[in-house]
Amino acid sequence: MAYSKGEKYDEKTTEGLIKTYRESISLLGEDPEREGLQKTPERVAKAMQFLTQGYQMDANAILNSAKFHEEVSEMIIVKDIELYSMCEHHMLPFYGKAHVAYIPNGYITGLSKIARVVDVYSRRLQVQERLTHQILNSIKETLNPLGVAVVIEASHLCMMMRGVQKQNSVTTTSAFWGEFEKNETRSEFVKLISSRLH
């Protein structure tokens, strides 16, 4: 699958979602023909396609689009990557930051591509645990590095707005592979993502 940029909306999908959201608004007790709601089903249909566009994207193709041979074997970290995703259990957002590192084994990729990989998997109906491992596995499979590390810190609106209603909770997930399974390398990574060097 080729990698391309830009927002795209499938006409058939949009039409189906518009109908569904119009019915949902009515079932919730509102009038979908009220002035303020007339265009809401279309807006939500397009918003949901944007928020789940990761299904139409290939993370490995993105990494391969800027893959370069380079004799570097030191840790490369892209930290504080903003992420926005949708909890698959309640379809409410969760948001936060991803910190991603890898140790090259002959190949590097463009730094922006790491952030795009985070977007590919976060722009889907997700759980944070799976998201963490999907990012790691894509980098592992495509670049064949010596090691990969991913840490995600996120706040979940399904916990903040409903259910337990805890506004200040943050969920942290991590995945380590290869050299990062060694305590010394993992500790260096955690220390670097925790510091403020800039």
Side-chain angles (χ1 to χ4, degrees):
M1 183 185 299
Y3 165 52
S4 62
K5 299 179 185 178
E7 290 183 30
K8 297 176 183 175
Y9 302 108
D10 178 76
E11 190 174 326
K12 185 177 179 181
T13 301
T14 302
E15 288 175 4
L17 288 171
I18 288 171
K19 181 181 177 184
T20 299
Y21 286 120
R22 187 174 286 119
E23 290 174 356
S24 296
I25 290 169
S26 181
L27 286 169
L28 290 171
E30 258 290 3
D31 176 11
E33 299 306 319
R34 182 165 64 78
E35 182 182 16
L37 291 173
Q38 285 178 1
K39 293 187 177 180
T40 297
E42 181 180 355
R43 292 188 193 104
V44 179
K46 289 181 176 178
M48 287 303 295
Q49 286 178 80
F50 176 81
L51 295 172
T52 59
Q53 64 182 306
Y55 291 119
Q56 314 306 321
M57 302 167 75
D58 184 332
N60 290 5
I62 288 172
L63 290 171
N64 279 321
S65 73
K67 183 176 176 180
F68 311 105
H69 182 72
E70 196 69 47
E71 293 301 327
V72 176
S73 59
E74 284 75 36
M75 189 185 306
I76 297 171
I77 303 174
V78 183
K79 69 178 187 176
D80 295 335
I81 302 168
E82 295 176 17
L83 72 84
Y84 302 91
S85 193
M86 298 282 284
C87 161
E88 69 179 34
H89 300 139
H90 302 99
M91 288 181 69
L92 287 172
F94 66 92
Y95 61 94
K97 293 180 177 180
H99 314 288
V100 181
Y102 71 101
I103 300 173
N105 185 24
Y107 289 95
I108 61 170
T109 190
L111 297 177
S112 68
K113 306 311 178 193
I114 300 294
R116 291 192 187 282
V117 168
V118 173
D119 279 348
V120 168
Y121 292 113
S122 62
R123 297 293 189 183
R124 301 179 182 193
L125 300 180
Q126 272 291 11
V127 295
Q128 186 175 329
E129 298 88 340
R130 182 196 308 129
L131 172 61
T132 307
H133 284 274
Q134 286 176 326
I135 295 166
L136 181 143
N137 288 331
S138 179
I139 295 168
K140 174 184 169 185
E141 292 167 9
T142 309
L143 300 180
N144 190 33
L146 298 175
V148 187
V150 180
V151 170
I152 294 177
E153 304 167 285
S155 298
H156 293 247
L157 289 187
C158 58
M159 286 183 65
M160 297 164 71
M161 293 176 66
R162 64 171 306 285
V164 72
Q165 296 181 45
K166 299 300 179 190
Q167 280 74 38
N168 298 311
S169 64
V170 175
T171 300
T172 302
T173 50
S174 62
F176 302 101
W177 174 81
E179 288 295 314
F180 287 97
E181 293 176 287
K182 297 177 180 176
N183 285 333
E184 183 180 349
T185 310
R186 186 166 62 244
S187 296
E188 180 185 352
F189 166 70
V190 171
K191 182 179 179 181
L192 287 169
I193 66 171
S194 302
S195 67
R196 292 288 167 230
L197 300 175
H198 53 283

